[in-house]
Amino acid sequence: MNRLTELSFESITKSFGATVALSNFELVVRPGELMTLLGPSGCGKTTALRIAAGFERPDSGKVLVGDVDITARPAHLRRMGMVFQSYSLFPHLSVIDNVTFGLKMQRVKRDVSRTRAMTMLELVKLDGLTARYPHQLSGGQQQRVALARALTIEPDVLLLDEPLSALDAKVRTEVRDEIRSLTTRLGTTTIFVTHDQEEALGISDRVCVMNDGVVEQVGVPMAIYDSPASDFVATFVGEMNRLRLANLETLVRPEQVVLGPATSSGTGATVQSATFHGSIMRYIVQLDDGQILKAIAAHVPGTAFTAGTRVDVSVNFESTTESKSTFGGVTP
């Protein structure tokens, strides 16, 4: 349905007064790719999205769709589909009329627009609710209507501004998976903005981690998690321990911390807390030298440690069993 389109940000700078929102921002979103902009509040990710949409004009730099410079093009001529956190549905319009609104603005014939809208509503599983109004829908259903409305115009690029943050956890996961499936099926180039690391890792082809208006790292989710390019990425994406080994400080994921029954020769620690999370156990342990570490282990019935238990601690610096070692003499 959609043309495969590349979106590029070239040396984008944008300030609001004395605040620099983006500084020499460079990013290429490949045709048909779902790219997530991930970072804390104020890092510039929403500003980048609004510049792509045409709602903000950069102080310098260019935005290109394919090889066409659209930096000065007004928003309504950019062929961008936008889904907001707040849904932004028209309360006085039915589901079908909300979804066909963009096509009406494009002066698409009524029968054609309704056919296209019904096709999209079937894809988001709302074809039986066409006559309802937004107040008669759940939050997840409203977000699906907003998604259908954005995609029905067959945009060059789909822009999603924290679209799941207002949903509860279960519905958020369902809608996230539907967005992923739908954009993949349609081949729509997509930018997804979020501050939720789990969300970013679960939905993206690639992730662009941002901080203070600059790009920290761009890569596939597994590379972002396993091979962070900076201290910021390592500590922002997922949980991380700072572990002192002799004169060296290293960063260790909780799942790399391995707990075992206490022995006389191991590195000793005491379990401070043990929390059950269904398939996993989360521990906080204190080493005998005072360091505090978080640990995550698969839950195996009858094997969990309880608070106050003495344990040995080792670190699996790689994924292989041979790499598992106590701290003595280990150089990561």
Side-chain angles (χ1 to χ4, degrees), residues 274-283 295-300 304-306:
T275 310
F276 176 60
H277 290 268
S279 61
I280 63 171
M281 292 292 300
R282 290 182 175 271
Y283 298 100
I296 296 175
H299 169 60
V300 178
F305 298 107
T306 57

Side-chain angles (χ1 to χ4, degrees), residues 9-192:
F9 299 86
E10 294 188 355
S11 302
I12 297 291
T13 297
K14 178 66 178 178
S15 296
F16 298 96
T19 302
V20 178
L22 292 172
S23 178
N24 196 34
F25 179 72
E26 298 257 355
L27 183 68
V28 175
V29 185
R30 298 165 182 162
E33 177 177 49
L34 196 159
M35 170 74 77
T36 294
L37 305 185
L38 172 67
S41 297
C43 72
K45 56 189 186 293
T46 295
T47 299
L49 196 77
R50 291 178 60 82
I51 287 174
F55 299 149
E56 299 284 354
R57 187 70 61 85
D59 299 331
S60 61
K62 296 188 294 185
V63 179
L64 293 91
V65 172
D67 58 358
V68 179
D69 185 347
I70 64 166
T71 311
R73 186 177 295 180
H76 69 282
L77 296 178
R78 291 199 178 198
R79 292 186 55 83
M80 301 280 182
M82 188 87 176
V83 178
F84 300 93
Q85 176 181 339
S86 59
Y87 316 139
S88 298
L89 300 179
F90 298 109
H92 62 290
L93 296 181
S94 65
V95 166
I96 188 69
D97 289 335
N98 262 285
V99 176
T100 57
F101 182 82
L103 297 175
K104 183 178 180 181
M105 294 299 98
Q106 294 178 351
R107 301 185 183 279
V108 176
K109 291 182 179 180
R110 178 179 172 83
D111 58 337
V112 174
S113 67
R114 290 186 71 86
T115 298
R116 281 166 58 178
M118 285 303 302
T119 297
M120 196 58 60
L121 286 169
E122 288 176 10
L123 288 176
V124 298
K125 303 178 179 65
L126 290 178
D127 48 308
L129 304 178
T130 58
R132 291 194 184 181
Y133 289 82
H135 72 274
Q136 297 173 311
L137 303 175
S138 68
Q141 290 170 334
Q142 290 183 51
Q143 194 59 288
R144 289 183 179 96
V145 174
L147 182 62
R149 180 177 62 185
L151 287 169
T152 297
I153 64 172
E154 298 182 356
D156 288 335
V157 180
L158 176 65
L159 306 172
L160 304 171
D161 189 11
E162 304 214 35
L164 309 179
S165 60
L167 305 177
D168 64 52
K170 184 175 185 298
V171 175
R172 182 183 307 174
T173 300
E174 291 175 355
V175 177
R176 181 193 73 190
D177 293 344
E178 288 179 10
I179 289 172
R180 173 72 218 183
S181 175
L182 191 58
T183 55
T184 299
R185 177 174 176 178
L186 297 176
T188 308
T189 304
T190 303
I191 300 181
F192 185 98

Side-chain angles (χ1 to χ4, degrees), residues 138-307:
S138 68
Q141 290 170 334
Q142 290 183 51
Q143 194 59 288
R144 289 183 179 96
V145 174
L147 182 62
R149 180 177 62 185
L151 287 169
T152 297
I153 64 172
E154 298 182 356
D156 288 335
V157 180
L158 176 65
L159 306 172
L160 304 171
D161 189 11
E162 304 214 35
L164 309 179
S165 60
L167 305 177
D168 64 52
K170 184 175 185 298
V171 175
R172 182 183 307 174
T173 300
E174 291 175 355
V175 177
R176 181 193 73 190
D177 293 344
E178 288 179 10
I179 289 172
R180 173 72 218 183
S181 175
L182 191 58
T183 55
T184 299
R185 177 174 176 178
L186 297 176
T188 308
T189 304
T190 303
I191 300 181
F192 185 98
V193 165
T194 185
H195 62 272
D196 186 302
Q197 300 96 322
E198 181 180 349
E199 203 167 85
L201 297 177
I203 199 173
S204 312
D205 290 312
R206 288 190 299 155
V207 178
C208 172
V209 183
M210 299 176 62
N211 184 37
D212 290 335
V214 300
V215 175
E216 291 276 347
Q217 185 174 358
V218 179
V220 298
M222 194 173 293
I224 293 289
Y225 188 85
D226 290 340
S227 304
S230 68
D231 187 87
F232 173 80
V233 176
T235 54
F236 184 76
V237 180
E239 296 181 276
M240 191 67 79
N241 293 298
R242 291 184 181 274
L243 175 65
R244 296 189 309 275
L245 300 175
N247 295 321
L248 176 69
E249 182 180 80
T250 187
L251 299 176
V252 177
R253 297 285 187 194
E255 60 269 24
Q256 292 176 285
V257 178
V258 182
L259 306 184
T263 67
S264 59
S265 59
T267 300
T270 302
V271 176
Q272 301 293 301
S273 69
T275 310
F276 176 60
H277 290 268
S279 61
I280 63 171
M281 292 292 300
R282 290 182 175 271
Y283 298 100
I284 297 177
V285 301
Q286 183 173 22
L287 301 182
D288 289 346
D289 66 2
Q291 295 186 75
I292 301 294
L293 296 180
K294 296 178 181 178
I296 296 175
H299 169 60
V300 178
T303 65
F305 298 107
T306 57

